Amino acid sequence: MKLITAGILAGFLATTLLATTAARAEDMVFTSWGGTTQEAQTKSWAEPFTAASGIKVMQDGPTDYGKLKAMVDAGSVNWDVVDVEMDFAIKAAKDGLLEPIDFAAVPKADLDPRFTTDHAVGSFYYSFVLAWNKGAVSGEPAGWADMFDTKKFPGKRTFYKWSAPGVIEIALLADGVPADKLYPLDLDRAFKKLDTIKSDIVWWGGGAESQQLIASGEATFGQLWNGRVFALEKDGADVGVSWNQNLTAADVLVVPKGAKNKDAAMKFLAAASSPAGQAKFAEASGYAPINTKAKAEMPADVVKGLPDAHVDGQINLDMNYWAEHRDEIATRWYAWQAK
Amino acid sequence: MSVETRQSLPGFRMPAGFNGLLPALVLIVLFFVVPVLALLLRSVTEPEPGLQNYAALLGDGTYARVFFNTFLVASVVTAVTVLVAFPVAWMLAIMPSALASIVFGVIILSMWTNLLTRTYAWMVLLQRTGVINRTLMATGIINQPLPLINNLTGVTIGMVYIMLPFMILPLVGTLRAIDPMTLRAAALCGASPFQAFRRILLPLSLPGIAAGGLMVFVMSLGYFVTPALLGGTSNMMLAEMIAQMIQSLLNWGLGSAAAFILLVVTMALYALQLHLVGARRMSGGA
């Protein structure tokens, strides 16, 4: 009997010891959203970084804000660098969940100031674009208003499921709000507009899902990250894309407060945000670089397909507004979804 | 905490057989009681001390609907699972044992397959552009795809499929314990097959149905992956709502409160079931 209890305790000790040694054996952990994006990040950043510095980069994912907060709260942080949406980064910095960036280790001069803060450096920036399955849509959708026109374009349309910058703005633009009058967001008006097509919406929760929905024709068209459309085109899927009023937002790289390998993390950030790292990633993913010197290192035809080749009519989603109102919008968003 | 010290406590004697239970109790306290207490604590201390999380949950139409949905889905899934599982279990009970063990093997094998994989398989089958709809449209039975996914239908199909083994296994045990002579006797006394089923087989198999049904119902209450992938946002179940609160809103107090309410309701149902069916019949029937 005593033996069994002792055995259990010994087992606990052994697992704890194993866990700590396992954590020490790896050099750092990079966490992102999985799928084609994380593959591109691994190839463009992690592999060259390991080759140059000898620091091993373990991949984890998908990014989970609840987990990040749990790790920081519990003081047991297993992630060193995390790819997050920028509005979350701004709020998380306010809530004390992030380490400040050491700009002595991460050169700041060439980084796009729109996506650089004291607690984050840009990862990439992207656009929400209107994409459709050419085989399933008759005619060509021309802009966001068409997503709400079920007469002209019948069928299911797909939108991003989580409460985040994008869908609310699309609803307002479709309802005729001018781009420069979007903020502060008129939520009542947006939800009223969304109500008109609610039964025709299929939600996508992750990039891979959005690709599957459009490629299979399950959704005839929808709001996608431009990089996922790029990946679909690369795979030879028959997709159309409209950059009309494309909405830009950014992912940024952050270091959770109390990360075990902070020095390695800062070195990794320097490599990921370098002109070469950014150029390679943009080429692999179709997302835009956040280092202003990156484009000089990229083939001209790739540059043409990036979000910053479509600045005409482009709208920047207001990350600061979202960081400010994140919870309040999210509460309403999920309540509306569940109705 | 050794045996000697315990016996030296004056006037305090451990109940007989307690020694063997200690490791199990230690495990239960460590892995169940402590986390549940931590959950309760969180729900009344975050973001500030008080009962405001519970007030918000119980006073809001959206949350009420999600609670209602959760119980609706669990009830529907349990009912359909019983209906589908009963004939299968009956077949297994009267089959030659060699054949039965092969069928059992298949059932157990499906339980070992990754849940997410099985759910995605249903997505591929049920989509508007999925296998089922394409087949039905090709044969001309329908000319519009049936809405089989992102609704209650999809959730029910996917969850019944996953829950079936949990219903079949206890039922087979109960049915095998029924003496076949009772049915023969019923037939000799002039009972029709349906009467024999309703008046002999069904009452005798009730403990198995109750045991399996409770397990399926309670498991369904906490289901996450399958409803999230096969249901629509309007069929959201509690587990997904808790995940949203914790992952997207980072509102741990609210999430913990919702989880705690679910736990309490589940425990209450279990107690009610024990009271109605009786503990002895619940613990495996015959």
Side-chain angles (χ1 to χ4, degrees):
Chain A
M1 164 51 241
K2 261 191 288 186
L3 269 180
I4 300 177
T5 321
I8 292 171
L9 287 174
F12 270 133
L13 278 173
T15 35
T16 344
L17 280 173
L18 268 176
T20 46
T21 46
R24 206 164 296 146
E26 65 196 41
D27 293 78
M28 63 165 283
V29 179
F30 172 67
T31 300
S32 183
W33 301 93
T36 46
T37 302
Q38 191 160 355
E39 278 167 38
Q41 287 170 325
T42 306
K43 280 206 176 58
S44 319
W45 301 343
E47 286 170 9
F49 173 71
T50 302
S53 66
I55 299 171
K56 276 203 211 65
V57 183
M58 316 284 287
Q59 298 288 330
D60 197 3
T63 298
D64 180 329
Y65 302 146
K67 237 187 225 179
L68 191 149
K69 181 177 151 67
M71 286 182 185
V72 176
D73 283 355
S76 155
V77 181
N78 302 328
W79 293 345
D80 298 306
V81 174
V82 189
D83 187 304
V84 301
E85 290 156 301
M86 188 164 178
D87 64 308
F88 173 80
I90 296 170
K91 184 157 193 317
K94 267 200 201 114
D95 296 347
L97 298 175
L98 306 178
E99 292 282 353
I101 303 296
D102 175 6
F103 285 110
V106 185
K108 193 178 177 177
D110 300 328
L111 301 184
D112 190 327
R114 284 181 300 171
F115 313 122
T116 316
T117 72
D118 290 347
H119 295 82
V121 294
S123 176
F124 55 87
Y125 89 88
Y126 55 89
S127 282
F128 275 125
V129 292
L130 178 58
W132 61 91
N133 178 317
K134 280 186 180 164
V137 172
S138 46
E140 285 219 347
W144 298 124
D146 288 339
M147 293 261 295
F148 294 81
D149 191 341
T150 44
K151 278 204 188 66
K152 198 162 142 202
F153 295 101
K156 299 280 180 194
R157 40 270 285 151
T158 186
F159 286 100
Y160 190 39
K161 180 177 177 173
W162 307 106
S163 173
V167 185
I168 304 268
E169 283 86 348
I170 287 171
L172 292 171
L173 290 167
D175 206 35
V177 175
D180 57 349
K181 296 276 190 299
L182 275 176
Y183 299 97
L185 295 170
D186 182 344
L187 294 180
D188 294 337
R189 186 170 172 178
F191 284 123
K192 211 170 126 196
K193 185 71 177 170
L194 284 163
D195 272 331
T196 60
I197 55 163
K198 195 169 178 185
S199 56
D200 288 310
I201 297 176
V202 188
W203 302 99
W204 57 269
E209 201 180 346
S210 70
Q211 287 167 285
Q212 194 271 335
L213 286 168
I214 294 290
S216 67
E218 187 66 21
T220 50
F221 61 156
Q223 159 221 15
L224 263 67
W225 288 320
N226 73 285
R228 299 293 179 157
V229 182
F230 175 82
L232 280 172
E233 286 169 334
K234 268 212 300 207
D235 289 346
D238 196 16
V239 289
V241 59
S242 161
W243 287 85
N244 190 3
Q245 289 193 314
N246 68 88
L247 302 154
T248 69
D251 267 24
V252 293
L253 301 172
V254 298
V255 180
K257 191 148 206 80
K260 292 193 189 76
N261 309 296
K262 221 163 62 176
D263 294 347
M266 294 301 164
K267 286 186 189 132
F268 179 85
L269 292 185
S273 61
S274 69
Q278 282 292 311
K280 274 203 202 98
F281 176 76
E283 220 174 308
S285 67
Y287 291 122
I290 50 85
N291 188 309
T292 49
K293 292 239 162 73
K295 259 183 262 170
E297 308 199 8
M298 291 164 60
D301 62 318
V302 176
V303 175
K304 273 209 297 276
L306 296 177
D308 46 2
H310 301 273
V311 288
D312 204 19
Q314 189 172 67
I315 298 163
N316 289 315
L317 295 167
D318 187 339
M319 295 294 151
N320 287 312
Y321 178 88
W322 272 88
E324 195 77 31
H325 300 89
R326 209 167 183 276
D327 293 355
E328 159 203 346
I329 298 174
T331 307
R332 273 198 68 172
W333 173 257
Y334 294 126
W336 173 81
Q337 263 190 344
K339 272 197 188 101
Chain B
M1 149 123 173
S2 74
V3 181
E4 294 75 32
T5 53
R6 251 192 288 125
Q7 283 177 338
S8 67
L9 287 172
F12 181 74
R13 299 246 338 254
M14 279 286 163
F18 186 79
N19 269 350
L21 281 178
L22 193 62
L25 279 175
V26 168
L27 285 178
I28 287 176
V29 167
L30 267 179
F31 291 112
F32 183 75
V33 178
V34 171
V36 165
L37 287 178
L39 188 78
L40 179 61
L41 193 67
R42 262 218 145 106
S43 69
V44 293
T45 55
E46 285 189 25
E48 59 252 2
L51 292 174
Q52 73 282 7
N53 287 323
Y54 290 92
L57 280 174
L58 300 174
D60 181 300
T62 312
Y63 301 142
R65 182 166 336 142
V66 173
F67 272 100
F68 172 77
N69 261 334
T70 307
F71 284 92
L72 175 75
V73 170
S75 310
V76 171
V77 167
T78 307
V80 177
T81 307
V82 170
L83 290 176
V84 177
F86 198 94
V88 178
W90 178 242
M91 254 175 40
L92 278 166
I94 56 177
M95 249 182 209
S97 64
L99 194 57
S101 42
I102 293 173
V103 179
F104 262 121
V106 172
I107 292 173
I108 301 283
L109 204 63
S110 81
M111 287 170 78
W112 285 343
T113 314
N114 179 299
L115 176 76
L116 197 58
T117 315
R118 289 186 285 155
T119 302
Y120 267 108
W122 277 111
M123 276 171 91
V124 172
L125 290 170
L126 298 173
Q127 283 187 331
R128 289 173 52 252
T129 50
V131 179
I132 294 174
N133 270 317
R134 275 180 200 274
T135 311
L136 289 174
M137 290 188 36
T139 51
I141 297 171
I142 51 170
N143 46 23
Q144 277 296 319
L146 297 169
L148 301 172
I149 194 168
N150 300 329
N151 52 27
L152 190 58
T153 315
V155 180
T156 308
I157 294 173
M159 282 177 67
V160 166
Y161 161 73
I162 283 158
M163 292 300 178
L164 270 174
F166 298 100
M167 190 77 218
I168 292 171
L169 297 178
L171 260 183
V172 173
T174 315
L175 290 172
R176 276 197 178 152
I178 296 172
D179 188 343
M181 282 301 174
T182 51
L183 292 172
R184 199 170 302 172
L188 284 174
C189 300
S192 69
F194 175 74
Q195 276 179 314
F197 166 77
R198 210 186 59 80
R199 296 176 59 177
I200 312 271
L201 199 59
L202 196 61
L204 283 175
S205 57
L206 265 183
I209 293 178
L214 180 74
M215 183 142 65
V216 170
F217 189 82
V218 168
M219 282 174 73
S220 300
L221 286 180
Y223 244 62
F224 174 67
V225 168
T226 311
L229 289 174
L230 299 176
T233 46
S234 53
N235 326 97
M236 192 189 296
M237 288 177 73
L238 206 56
E240 198 185 351
M241 185 176 86
I242 293 168
Q244 267 179 13
M245 287 168 178
I246 286 177
Q247 289 181 341
S248 185
L249 294 170
L250 297 189
N251 190 336
W252 291 42
L254 203 59
S256 306
F260 196 74
I261 291 175
L262 180 62
L263 184 74
V264 169
V265 171
T266 312
M267 295 270 216
L269 280 171
Y270 186 64
L272 183 74
Q273 179 94 3
L274 284 180
H275 181 74
L276 291 178
V277 184
R280 206 165 313 129
R281 298 183 68 187
M282 280 294 302
S283 60

